[in-house]
């Protein structure tokens, strides 16, 4: 409930069907168990406020007051905001909803909000790419884990998104019969080309804010955020698994 409410609160009292459609690969029945009930426990406005408070406390604890108040964080926040404000809302409901929220005042929260906007902008574009390539919710998960680069293994992904073994296995069978997976569950060459096209389309749709920032400032933003990223990973607050470790250090 905390995840769905926190991610969707910017939309207002959104229905479970609308949120499930925008999040794409969660079982809609899972979303329906938590929304709209969450809005009876705390309004979307209250959830948004609590989320920002939680982020403030977490970043202050993990990074320390000195880093949070540093010139580097302020510079990163300013650069990230330039990129975030260059995003286009058309066809991107989660980005558009978050873009309507007021900007925080503190630099570390400005940075977090900008990253949220860039994340939702990219995520909305990724869903458009999946739909455009005819890859449904479970197929998106199966083919992602089959790349070997997913943050989660197949079982963990299936359970986290609340799909049954039968639903998952049926999709694996369909993808195998269509020639996208081999009998061992790995992507075939056509499967790898499909995932590559999806990622290329996602990257292309996500590129405009970084073009607006420019290569030099984008590289500077990466350099400024790297020690912050490393501190978050080192804190142990994120779930640990081999794929996540590869992602964090790759």
């Amino acid at each position: 409930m905390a995840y769905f409410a926190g991610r969707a609160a910017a939309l207002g009292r959104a229905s479970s069907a609308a949120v499930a459609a925008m999040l794409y690969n969660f079982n809609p029945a899972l979303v329906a168990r938590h929304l709209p009930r969450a809005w009876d426990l705390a309004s979307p406005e209250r959830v948004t406020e609590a989320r920002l408070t939680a982020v403030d406390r977490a970043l202050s604890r993990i990074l320390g007051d000195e880093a949070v108040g540093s010139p580097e964080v302020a510079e990163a926040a300013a650069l990230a905001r330039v990129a975030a404000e260059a995003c286009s809302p058309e066809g991107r409901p989660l980005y558009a909803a978050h873009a309507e929220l007021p900007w925080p005042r503190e630099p570390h929260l400005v940075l977090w909000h900008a990253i949220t906007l860039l994340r939702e902008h990219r995520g909305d574009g990724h869903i458009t790419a999946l739909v455009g390539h005819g890859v449904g919710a479970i197929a998106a998960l199966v083919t992602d884990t089959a790349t070997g680069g997913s943050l989660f293994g197949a079982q963990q992904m299936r359970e986290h998104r609340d799909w049954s073994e039968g639903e998952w296995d049926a999709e694996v069978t369909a993808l195998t019969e269509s020639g996208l997976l081999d009998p061992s569950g790995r992507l075939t060459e056509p499967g790898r080309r499909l995932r590559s096209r999806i990622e290329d389309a996602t990257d292309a749709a996500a590129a405009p804010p970084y073009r607006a920032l420019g290569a030099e400032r984008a590289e500077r933003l990466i350099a400024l955020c790297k020690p912050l990223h490393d501190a978050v990973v080192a804190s142990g607050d994120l779930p640990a698994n081999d794929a996540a470790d590869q992602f964090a250090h790759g």
Side-chain angles (χ1 to χ4, degrees), residues 1-54:
M1 182 182 288
Y3 176 84
F4 294 136
R7 185 106 180 264
L11 297 160
R13 296 181 68 90
S15 70
S16 65
V19 173
M22 283 180 270
L23 298 185
Y24 199 66
N25 55 40
F26 286 88
N27 189 330
L30 173 64
V31 183
R33 289 203 292 272
H34 302 293
L35 299 178
R37 180 171 175 264
W39 312 134
D40 295 328
L41 300 175
S43 69
E45 294 77 15
R46 184 70 185 93
V47 171
T48 298
E49 179 185 342
R51 189 186 191 202
L52 194 62
T53 299

Side-chain angles (χ1 to χ4, degrees), residues 115-219:
I115 291 170
T116 298
L117 294 176
L118 293 167
R119 177 265 183 101
E120 298 297 5
H121 180 268
R122 182 180 178 86
D124 288 338
H126 184 57
I127 290 171
T128 298
L130 289 168
V131 173
H133 286 84
V135 179
I138 306 178
L141 299 174
V142 172
T143 56
D144 180 47
T145 57
T147 65
S150 173
L151 289 178
F152 302 106
Q155 181 176 347
Q156 189 179 12
M157 184 75 84
R158 178 184 65 76
E159 293 175 350
H160 187 259
R161 265 57 173 181
D162 201 44
W163 298 105
S164 69
E165 287 188 47
E167 290 168 322
W168 188 274
D169 291 346
E171 190 61 53
V172 169
T173 298
L175 291 169
T176 303
E177 291 176 350
S178 69
L180 297 176
L181 294 179
D182 65 24
S184 69
R186 296 188 178 91
L187 289 174
T188 60
E189 184 56 34
R192 286 190 290 273
R193 288 199 299 269
L194 174 62
R195 287 299 315 191
S196 180
R197 289 196 299 272
I198 290 169
E199 296 306 324
D200 288 346
T202 301
D203 288 345
Y210 303 101
R211 283 200 295 267
L213 192 60
E216 183 176 341
R217 289 193 295 176
E219 289 296 332

Side-chain angles (χ1 to χ4, degrees), residues 65-115:
D65 292 338
E66 183 176 350
V68 162
S70 68
E72 290 78 12
V73 165
E75 182 183 357
L79 291 173
R81 182 167 181 169
V82 169
E85 290 182 333
C87 294
S88 172
E90 290 86 357
R92 293 180 168 89
L94 279 172
Y95 163 77
H98 284 86
E100 286 291 299
L101 297 176
W103 281 91
R105 296 182 63 180
E106 298 83 355
H108 66 294
L109 296 181
V110 170
L111 178 59
W112 177 82
H113 185 57
I115 291 170

Side-chain angles (χ1 to χ4, degrees), residues 54-68 108 227-238:
V55 169
D56 183 19
R57 292 176 179 174
L59 291 179
S60 296
R61 173 176 55 82
I62 293 171
L63 302 178
D65 292 338
E66 183 176 350
V68 162
H108 66 294
L228 309 178
H229 162 275
D230 291 347
V232 171
V233 172
S235 72
D237 284 12
L238 299 179

